[in-house]
Amino acid sequence: MTAQARDATSLTSAVPVMSPDLIRQVDPGDGVREMSYQEAIREALREEMIGDPRVFLMGEDIGKHGGAFGVTRTLFDQFGGERVRNTPISENTIVGAATGAALVGMRPVAEIMFVDFSGLAMDQIATQAAKIRFMTGGQCSVPWVLRMPQGGGAGKSTAAQHSQSLEVWFASIPGLKVVLPSTPYDAKGLMKAAIRDDNPVVFLEHKLLYAFKGLVPDGDYELPLSRCDVKRVGDDVTVVASGYMVWHAMLAARILEAEGISVEVVDVRTVSPLDEETIGASARKTGRVVVVAEACRSYGPANEWAMVAIERAHDRLRAPIVRVAGRDSPIPFANSLENGVWPSTEDVVAAIRQVVGSPA
Amino acid sequence: MTAQARDATSLTSAVPVMSPDLIRQVDPGDGVREMSYQEAIREALREEMIGDPRVFLMGEDIGKHGGAFGVTRTLFDQFGGERVRNTPISENTIVGAATGAALVGMRPVAEIMFVDFSGLAMDQIATQAAKIRFMTGGQCSVPWVLRMPQGGGAGKSTAAQHSQSLEVWFASIPGLKVVLPSTPYDAKGLMKAAIRDDNPVVFLEHKLLYAFKGLVPDGDYELPLSRCDVKRVGDDVTVVASGYMVWHAMLAARILEAEGISVEVVDVRTVSPLDEETIGASARKTGRVVVVAEACRSYGPANEWAMVAIERAHDRLRAPIVRVAGRDSPIPFANSLENGVWPSTEDVVAAIRQVVGSPA
Amino acid sequence: MEVALQTLLEMYRRMVRIRQFELAATNLFKRGQLKGTVHTYIGMEASGVGVCMALRTEDLIAGTHRSHGHNIAKGADLARMMAELMGKETGYCKGRGGSMHIAAFETGSLGALAVVASGIPLAVGAALAFQMRREDRVAVPFTGDAGSNTGNWHEGLNMAAAWKLPVVFVLENNQYGVSTRIDDVTRIHDLSLRAAGYGIPGVRVDGFDVLAVYEAATTAVARARAGDGPTLLVTESYRVDGHYAGEPEVYRDRAEVAEYRAKDPIARFRSRLIGELAVDILALDAIEAEVAAAIEAALAFAREGSEPDPATALDYIYA
Amino acid sequence: MEVALQTLLEMYRRMVRIRQFELAATNLFKRGQLKGTVHTYIGMEASGVGVCMALRTEDLIAGTHRSHGHNIAKGADLARMMAELMGKETGYCKGRGGSMHIAAFETGSLGALAVVASGIPLAVGAALAFQMRREDRVAVPFTGDAGSNTGNWHEGLNMAAAWKLPVVFVLENNQYGVSTRIDDVTRIHDLSLRAAGYGIPGVRVDGFDVLAVYEAATTAVARARAGDGPTLLVTESYRVDGHYAGEPEVYRDRAEVAEYRAKDPIARFRSRLIGELAVDILALDAIEAEVAAAIEAALAFAREGSEPDPATALDYIYA
Ligand SMILES: Cc1ncc(C[n+]2csc(CCOP(=O)(O)OP(=O)(O)O)c2C)c(N)n1
Ligand SMILES: Cc1ncc(C[n+]2csc(CCOP(=O)(O)OP(=O)(O)O)c2C)c(N)n1
Ligand SMILES: [Mg+2]
Ligand SMILES: [Mg+2]
C-alpha cells in the first residue's frame, strides 16, 4: 500500500482533522497546561538554559526573529545574543562548531533551518560528530542536540527543497540518536532528555505539528531516548509510525474502532537507536503489522520497523506486513500533486483493513 | 542474523577466497579478455571518452596520479588535463559543477575519492541534481555519473572515515539512479549505460573488488540500469545481495550445493530505482529469501529488498526473511574489531540454513 | 559609458516589469491566492537588470530563492512566471517548482535553487563547459550577502579563478540574510575585498543605480569573454520588503527601511532618464502602461491555467 | 625574539621526536607491520613544533590525516602513539582510530579527523566555548594548502572572524594536496592573502624555520588571548615524502624533492643552535640519543600490547 496507489485527488492528507484528545498523555489538572508542540519545545529549551549554563542555542535567525517557525521566539530577549546566537549561513560549520563546543564541555543546541539543508552538513553530522567518540577510543563525547524541522503537508506548497523527511540519512549512521516527537508532551520530555544526553542527538520536529496542542506538565520531566511509546493499546493490529504519521494512525484507529477493529499504535518517537523490544512485543501480541512513514517509500525508515517485527515476531504474524509511505518523488509545489505525495489517514485505514483481511 | 551474532574472531570476511569462475557471465573466446573490475571501469571510461566528446572526468588527483585507486591511470596521458581534470578539494562544488556542465549538454563523470566524503556533497547530489529536472517541470536533465569507491574489508584498516557503505543515502532520494556492480563485466556495461543515461547516476565501486578479475568482452556493450541480475539460478532459496556481498552469496551457494541446497542469487546491481519484478519473481519461485548488505544493519538497504519480497511474494513465502548486514558501528581500525564488522560468507551460509530450516 | 536609447528604455521596461510583477504577486499572496512563499526583489531591480542587460540570451544565470527579478531581468515571460507562482501546468516549471524554483531555461537559466548559494557550482560547471567547447558564453550566478558566507561560495570562486572560467559572480548585498545583518556575521564591510583571496578583480557598485551596475557588469562580462577569468561584482542595495511577503521584520527599524525605500532605483532611473538623458516622459509612461497591461494579461493567463493532472505526478522525476 | 635555552632545546627535542617517530612508522609500514596508511610529517616538523611551543597544555589543536607530528609537537606520548598505529588497546584511541585518527586528548587535542578541513569547525566551536566561558585558551586547527580550498575552511574563518574567537588557523602549505600542486588549483600563490576576506591578519612564514614559526605563532596566540580574534598563519614548507608511505609520486621531479630535502628544518635548526645560539653540541646529541631510546621503548610497548578484545566491539559507539 503506497501513496501512489491511492486516489491522488483525496484531500485528507491536507486536512489535519486530528484533535488533541486523540492522544492524551497526562490528565488535566494543577501544574498541567495546554500548549503547542512549538511551545513545548521552547519551554524545554528555556528550562534547560536556566538550569544549565552549558546549554546554548546557535543557528540562523534564531535570535530576535525566533527562527523560521518562531520556536526560539522570546529566548533571545531572555538570554541574550551570546546564548541565543545567530550564525552565518554555514550549515556544516554550525554543526561542527557545536561539536567543538560540546567536546570542551558545552551542551549546544544547534539548529538547521530546514532538514533539507542538512545535505550541506552531513559530513559534520554523520562522519564527524557520530564517530569521534568511537574513533578516539572514548576519549571524548559529543553532547549536542541538532534541531531540524522536517516534513510537509497541508497544502503548504514549500516544494522540493523545504519539505523532505530525511530521518533515514541519520538513522542509518551508528553513533547518532534520532528523535522525532509526535506530541507536545513528548517534545518537551524528549528535548530535555536530548540536551542531557551525552551523545549527538538529531532532533527532528515536524513542521505541521508546531501548532498542534496537547497537555504538558509544568516543570521538569524527561522521557527516555530509545524507547518507543505505545500511544494506543489494541489487540488486532499494530501500527508502527512516527512524527506526524502517528496522528494518521490514531485517527485511523478511531475510525476503525467503530468497525470493531482494535488498533495498537506504536510511536517510534526515538527513531534510532531503535527500541526493537516494544515493536516486537506489540507485533507478537497482535500478529498483524502496518508500518507508516512520511518519507519516500523506497529505502525508507518504515522498512526497519517491519524487519524488526519479522525478526522478533515472525512466528506470530498472521498476515504479511504492509507499509504506507510517501511517494517516490521530489515534493511538488502545486497542490494537485502535493496532495497525493504523503500518506493520508485513508491510506492507513486501507492498510489496516488489508492486514486484518476486512474488505474496504 | 547479524554480524554481531557470529563469532567476531572469524577471519572469513578478511580472506576473499572468491575466484572469478564463481561468476561466469561470458564465455572465453575471441574478443573476450580477462581483466580486473578496475580495468573494466577504466575501459568503459576510455571508450566513452573516445566515442563522445561530451564525456569528461573531474575529481581530485585523477590526473597523472590516476586517482586514489588508480582507476583513471593512463587516461590523463591519453586525453590530457582538460578532459581528465584535477580539481581542488571541493566535493560539493565538484558535484555541482558536474551538474552545471551536464545542464548545458556535457556528460561529466565526477569522482569523490571515497564515498565517506559524500557527506560534504549531499546537498548537490540529493537536493540539487536529483531534483532540478523535476522542480523545473522537465526543462532540463542532469546526465552525470558520480563515481565513488565504497566499502571495506580484508583487513585493510582504513578505519571510520574511509570504509563506509552509504548507498541508502542515495537510494532513498528519488531522481537519482544508484549502481553498485559486483563484477568486471557488470562494471563495464553499467558504466557505459550510466554515462549514456540522461539522469544523475551515483556509481558506487567496491574497493575490495578493484583487483577482482573476470571475463569482459572487447568493445561496446551496455547493461540496463534498473535491472537486477540473477547471478545464479536456484530453487530452494533466494539470496538478494549487491556489490561485494554478491561474492559471499555465490560462495555460500557453492558451499551449500554440496548439501543439496539450491541457491538463487539475485544481484541488485542497480540499487535504485529498484527492479522489484526480478526480486519478486525469484522470491515467488523459491519461497525463501535472505537479504545481504554490507552497510550497517539498522535502516540499511537490504530492508528494501526484503519489503519488496514481502509485497510481491508474501503468499509464497515459506519462511521468514532473514537479513545479513554490517554491524551497527563506525568502522574500527584494529583488525581484531574490523574482522567482525562486515558480513562473511559464513554469515550468509548460516542465514540460508536458517531459512531452509536445516541445522548448521 | 554611452548607452543607446533603446537599451535605456529596455532597462526601464525590465525594472518596471519586475516591480509590477512583485507587487501583483505580493497582493495575491496577501489575499491568500498564492501558496508557498514569495520573496520579492523590490528595491533591487537595478541589480538584476543592470547585470542581465550586459548579457546575451545564450549567457546563463543561476538563480536563488529570490529570483522572480533575475528571471524577468533575463527576459522571462510574465504570464508563464505568474502561472508558475500559482502552481499551474502552464507555468515555466509546470507547477512543480513554484516561486522558489522558478526558472525560464528558454531565456537562459540554469535553474533557481532555494538552498542558499547552491547555484554557484552550477554556474561554475556551465562555464567550464563553455570554456572546454570554446563557446563565447558567460555564466552568472546570483547570491546574497549572506550567501557569501557559505562554503559553496568559496569553493566556486576558487575553482572558477583557478581555471579562469567565464563567470561573473554577482553578490547582491541587500544587507540582510533573513533577520541577520551582514555586519553581524562578517567582519568586513566591503565584501568585494574577498576577491583578493582568489586573485580575481573585486568590484563594488551602487546597486540602486542601474547604469552603474550595467557598466560594471559589462566590464566583468567582457573580461570573462576575453578568457581572463571571473570577477566578483558586489551590488550594494537593500531589501525594502520583509524577507518574504508577510515577514514581521522585528529585527530592524522602520526608519531604516524608509530611508532606503526613498532610494527607489526605478524612480531614480526615471528622473535621470528624463533629466540627464532627455528621454521623453511619455515614452516612460507608455512603458508603464504596457507593463500594467502585461501584468493583467499574465494574471488572466495564470488564473486560466489548471493545476497539474494528478495522473502526471510521476513525470519528470527521471529523464 | 629572545627564546630561553630550555625552550630551544625542547623545540629541538620535539622535532627530533617527530622525525624519529615518522621514520620508525614508515619502516614498520614498509615491512608490512602496520595496517592502514601512514602520512608522514617529515620536513614539516618546524611548523607543528613552532606552533605548539607557543601554546599551553590547555590550548587545543585540531588535527588532520597527517597529525602524528601535530600530536607529538603538542606533547603526546610516543609509546601510546605507536601502539595506536599498531591498532593496540594500549594506543591513545584504544586501537579504534589508527594513524589517521590519532589524538591525545590529555595533551590538548580536539581529535584528528581525516576528512580534509573538517577539524576547522571543531576548533571554532571550542574557541566559542572558551570565549563564552571567559577562559584564557586558544584553539588551533591545522590544515594543508589543499584544505584551504574547502568550504569548511571559508565558513570557519568567517565565523571565527565575525565573533572574534581565539583561534589561530594554521595553514601548512607543503605545496601539494596528494598529487595536485596548490598552484594548479588556486590562483594566488601567497595564501595568506585570503585573510583579507575575513578582516583578520594574514601572516606567512618560512615553515622550515622553527623560530620564525614560533615567533609568528606567539604573536597570533597573544592576539587571540587578548580578545582581538583569529589570525591566519601560513607556514611554507614542503612534503618530502610521498603523500602516504609508499605513494609513487608520479607527479613531481625527484630533483624538486631533493632541493627541498636539503632544507631539512632539523639540520638547519641544529646548525643555528650550535652556530648562532652557542648551544652545546653534546646537549643536542644527548637529545637524539634520548629520543632514539624513547622510540625503541615505544616500539616495545606497542608490540607488547594486544589488539582490542572483540567482546568490546560495541564500546564507545554511544556515551
Ligand atoms: C543553505 C541554506 N540555509 C538557510 C536557508 C534559509 N534561507 C533562505 S533565504 C536566507 C537568507 C539569504 O540571505 P541572502 O543570501 O543575503 O539573500 P537575500 O534573501 O537577502 O536575497 C536563508 C537563511 C537556505 N535557503 N539555504
Ligand atoms: C574532503 C576530503 N577530500 C579528499 C580527501 C582525500 N585526501 C586526503 S589528504 C588529501 C590532500 C590534502 O592536502 P593538504 O590539505 O594540502 O594536506 P597535506 O596532505 O598536504 O598535508 C586528500 C585529497 C579527504 N581526506 N577529504
Ligand atoms: Mg541579503
Ligand atoms: Mg598540502
Side-chain angles (χ1 to χ4, degrees), chain D residues 66-86:
Chain D
R66 193 182 300 288
S67 274
H68 303 170
H70 303 138
N71 277 290
I72 298 173
K74 192 72 172 46
D77 175 55
L78 298 182
R80 294 183 66 192
M81 297 261 312
M82 194 61 83
E84 188 57 36
L85 258 58
M86 292 193 191

mmCIF file of all heavy atoms in Angstrom, chain D residues 66-86:
data_model
loop_
_atom_site.group_PDB
_atom_site.id
_atom_site.type_symbol
_atom_site.label_atom_id
_atom_site.label_comp_id
_atom_site.label_asym_id
_atom_site.label_seq_id
_atom_site.Cartn_x
_atom_site.Cartn_y
_atom_site.Cartn_z
ATOM 1 N N ARG D 66 47.250 13.934 8.743
ATOM 2 C CA ARG D 66 48.721 13.975 8.853
ATOM 3 C C ARG D 66 49.090 14.542 10.224
ATOM 4 O O ARG D 66 49.753 15.554 10.317
ATOM 5 C CB ARG D 66 49.275 14.875 7.730
ATOM 6 C CG ARG D 66 50.802 14.781 7.502
ATOM 7 C CD ARG D 66 51.269 15.737 6.407
ATOM 8 N NE ARG D 66 50.648 15.473 5.125
ATOM 9 C CZ ARG D 66 50.927 14.412 4.355
ATOM 10 N NH1 ARG D 66 51.824 13.526 4.735
ATOM 11 N NH2 ARG D 66 50.290 14.244 3.209
ATOM 12 N N SER D 67 48.665 13.871 11.269
ATOM 13 C CA SER D 67 48.780 14.509 12.585
ATOM 14 C C SER D 67 49.681 13.795 13.583
ATOM 15 O O SER D 67 49.644 14.119 14.766
ATOM 16 C CB SER D 67 47.394 14.728 13.182
ATOM 17 O OG SER D 67 46.860 15.954 12.733
ATOM 18 N N HIS D 68 50.492 12.846 13.132
ATOM 19 C CA HIS D 68 51.479 12.309 14.077
ATOM 20 C C HIS D 68 52.287 13.479 14.624
ATOM 21 O O HIS D 68 52.498 13.611 15.822
ATOM 22 C CB HIS D 68 52.450 11.337 13.393
ATOM 23 C CG HIS D 68 51.810 10.184 12.708
ATOM 24 N ND1 HIS D 68 52.499 9.329 11.874
ATOM 25 C CD2 HIS D 68 50.544 9.724 12.724
ATOM 26 C CE1 HIS D 68 51.685 8.411 11.397
ATOM 27 N NE2 HIS D 68 50.493 8.629 11.897
ATOM 28 N N GLY D 69 52.730 14.312 13.682
ATOM 29 C CA GLY D 69 53.593 15.430 14.051
ATOM 30 C C GLY D 69 52.895 16.420 14.963
ATOM 31 O O GLY D 69 53.475 16.904 15.938
ATOM 32 N N HIS D 70 51.642 16.740 14.661
ATOM 33 C CA HIS D 70 50.932 17.709 15.490
ATOM 34 C C HIS D 70 50.792 17.183 16.919
ATOM 35 O O HIS D 70 50.962 17.916 17.886
ATOM 36 C CB HIS D 70 49.548 18.003 14.901
ATOM 37 C CG HIS D 70 49.595 18.496 13.486
ATOM 38 N ND1 HIS D 70 48.721 18.073 12.508
ATOM 39 C CD2 HIS D 70 50.440 19.352 12.860
ATOM 40 C CE1 HIS D 70 49.017 18.674 11.357
ATOM 41 N NE2 HIS D 70 50.055 19.440 11.547
ATOM 42 N N ASN D 71 50.475 15.918 17.032
ATOM 43 C CA ASN D 71 50.313 15.344 18.371
ATOM 44 C C ASN D 71 51.609 15.352 19.152
ATOM 45 O O ASN D 71 51.630 15.722 20.326
ATOM 46 C CB ASN D 71 49.784 13.906 18.259
ATOM 47 C CG ASN D 71 48.283 13.855 18.083
ATOM 48 O OD1 ASN D 71 47.542 14.162 19.003
ATOM 49 N ND2 ASN D 71 47.825 13.483 16.903
ATOM 50 N N ILE D 72 52.669 14.940 18.489
ATOM 51 C CA ILE D 72 53.955 14.893 19.206
ATOM 52 C C ILE D 72 54.397 16.313 19.545
ATOM 53 O O ILE D 72 54.896 16.581 20.643
ATOM 54 C CB ILE D 72 55.012 14.138 18.372
ATOM 55 C CG1 ILE D 72 54.553 12.679 18.166
ATOM 56 C CG2 ILE D 72 56.375 14.164 19.073
ATOM 57 C CD1 ILE D 72 55.431 11.863 17.220
ATOM 58 N N ALA D 73 54.178 17.220 18.634
ATOM 59 C CA ALA D 73 54.532 18.617 18.907
ATOM 60 C C ALA D 73 53.784 19.145 20.125
ATOM 61 O O ALA D 73 54.305 19.937 20.901
ATOM 62 C CB ALA D 73 54.225 19.486 17.688
ATOM 63 N N LYS D 74 52.564 18.686 20.302
ATOM 64 C CA LYS D 74 51.750 19.158 21.443
ATOM 65 C C LYS D 74 52.076 18.387 22.720
ATOM 66 O O LYS D 74 51.566 18.728 23.784
ATOM 67 C CB LYS D 74 50.257 19.029 21.087
ATOM 68 C CG LYS D 74 49.295 19.744 22.046
ATOM 69 C CD LYS D 74 49.353 21.258 21.885
ATOM 70 C CE LYS D 74 48.324 22.060 22.650
ATOM 71 N NZ LYS D 74 48.082 21.740 24.020
ATOM 72 N N GLY D 75 52.924 17.347 22.586
ATOM 73 C CA GLY D 75 53.387 16.673 23.806
ATOM 74 C C GLY D 75 52.930 15.234 23.990
ATOM 75 O O GLY D 75 53.046 14.678 25.084
ATOM 76 N N ALA D 76 52.411 14.639 22.927
ATOM 77 C CA ALA D 76 51.880 13.280 23.078
ATOM 78 C C ALA D 76 52.992 12.273 23.363
ATOM 79 O O ALA D 76 54.138 12.441 22.957
ATOM 80 C CB ALA D 76 51.123 12.872 21.816
ATOM 81 N N ASP D 77 52.598 11.226 24.024
ATOM 82 C CA ASP D 77 53.496 10.139 24.410
ATOM 83 C C ASP D 77 53.768 9.229 23.211
ATOM 84 O O ASP D 77 52.838 8.740 22.557
ATOM 85 C CB ASP D 77 52.796 9.355 25.532
ATOM 86 C CG ASP D 77 53.564 8.127 25.940
ATOM 87 O OD1 ASP D 77 54.745 8.253 26.297
ATOM 88 O OD2 ASP D 77 52.975 7.027 25.856
ATOM 89 N N LEU D 78 55.039 8.980 22.946
ATOM 90 C CA LEU D 78 55.385 8.199 21.753
ATOM 91 C C LEU D 78 54.882 6.756 21.823
ATOM 92 O O LEU D 78 54.495 6.178 20.811
ATOM 93 C CB LEU D 78 56.908 8.188 21.559
ATOM 94 C CG LEU D 78 57.573 9.540 21.326
ATOM 95 C CD1 LEU D 78 59.072 9.359 21.099
ATOM 96 C CD2 LEU D 78 56.954 10.247 20.125
ATOM 97 N N ALA D 79 54.905 6.198 22.996
ATOM 98 C CA ALA D 79 54.521 4.796 23.129
ATOM 99 C C ALA D 79 53.033 4.600 22.814
ATOM 100 O O ALA D 79 52.655 3.695 22.062
ATOM 101 C CB ALA D 79 54.844 4.299 24.540
ATOM 102 N N ARG D 80 52.217 5.484 23.371
ATOM 103 C CA ARG D 80 50.775 5.323 23.107
ATOM 104 C C ARG D 80 50.449 5.680 21.662
ATOM 105 O O ARG D 80 49.485 5.164 21.084
ATOM 106 C CB ARG D 80 49.964 6.155 24.094
ATOM 107 C CG ARG D 80 50.128 5.619 25.530
ATOM 108 C CD ARG D 80 49.284 6.376 26.512
ATOM 109 N NE ARG D 80 47.861 6.156 26.254
ATOM 110 C CZ ARG D 80 46.900 6.882 26.812
ATOM 111 N NH1 ARG D 80 47.219 7.878 27.617
ATOM 112 N NH2 ARG D 80 45.627 6.630 26.539
ATOM 113 N N MET D 81 51.240 6.560 21.080
ATOM 114 C CA MET D 81 51.074 6.861 19.647
ATOM 115 C C MET D 81 51.389 5.622 18.808
ATOM 116 O O MET D 81 50.637 5.228 17.919
ATOM 117 C CB MET D 81 52.029 7.978 19.216
ATOM 118 C CG MET D 81 51.826 9.324 19.871
ATOM 119 S SD MET D 81 50.886 10.483 18.853
ATOM 120 C CE MET D 81 51.699 10.333 17.302
ATOM 121 N N MET D 82 52.542 5.037 19.102
ATOM 122 C CA MET D 82 52.964 3.873 18.322
ATOM 123 C C MET D 82 51.982 2.710 18.498
ATOM 124 O O MET D 82 51.653 2.006 17.544
ATOM 125 C CB MET D 82 54.379 3.467 18.747
ATOM 126 C CG MET D 82 55.072 2.517 17.815
ATOM 127 S SD MET D 82 55.292 3.196 16.133
ATOM 128 C CE MET D 82 56.778 4.189 16.331
ATOM 129 N N ALA D 83 51.519 2.543 19.707
ATOM 130 C CA ALA D 83 50.552 1.475 19.968
ATOM 131 C C ALA D 83 49.275 1.718 19.143
ATOM 132 O O ALA D 83 48.665 0.776 18.610
ATOM 133 C CB ALA D 83 50.225 1.404 21.452
ATOM 134 N N GLU D 84 48.896 2.968 19.010
ATOM 135 C CA GLU D 84 47.703 3.267 18.211
ATOM 136 C C GLU D 84 47.932 2.911 16.750
ATOM 137 O O GLU D 84 47.060 2.321 16.091
ATOM 138 C CB GLU D 84 47.312 4.742 18.346
ATOM 139 C CG GLU D 84 45.977 5.090 17.702
ATOM 140 C CD GLU D 84 44.825 4.268 18.243
ATOM 141 O OE1 GLU D 84 44.805 3.956 19.456
ATOM 142 O OE2 GLU D 84 43.938 3.891 17.429
ATOM 143 N N LEU D 85 49.101 3.253 16.255
ATOM 144 C CA LEU D 85 49.400 2.911 14.858
ATOM 145 C C LEU D 85 49.325 1.401 14.626
ATOM 146 O O LEU D 85 49.013 0.953 13.520
ATOM 147 C CB LEU D 85 50.818 3.389 14.486
ATOM 148 C CG LEU D 85 50.872 4.675 13.657
ATOM 149 C CD1 LEU D 85 50.195 5.814 14.363
ATOM 150 C CD2 LEU D 85 52.307 5.036 13.302
ATOM 151 N N MET D 86 49.634 0.647 15.663
ATOM 152 C CA MET D 86 49.572 -0.817 15.530
ATOM 153 C C MET D 86 48.192 -1.370 15.873
ATOM 154 O O MET D 86 47.997 -2.578 15.869
ATOM 155 C CB MET D 86 50.635 -1.452 16.426
ATOM 156 C CG MET D 86 52.054 -1.185 15.960
ATOM 157 S SD MET D 86 53.198 -2.281 16.830
ATOM 158 C CE MET D 86 54.777 -1.549 16.358
#
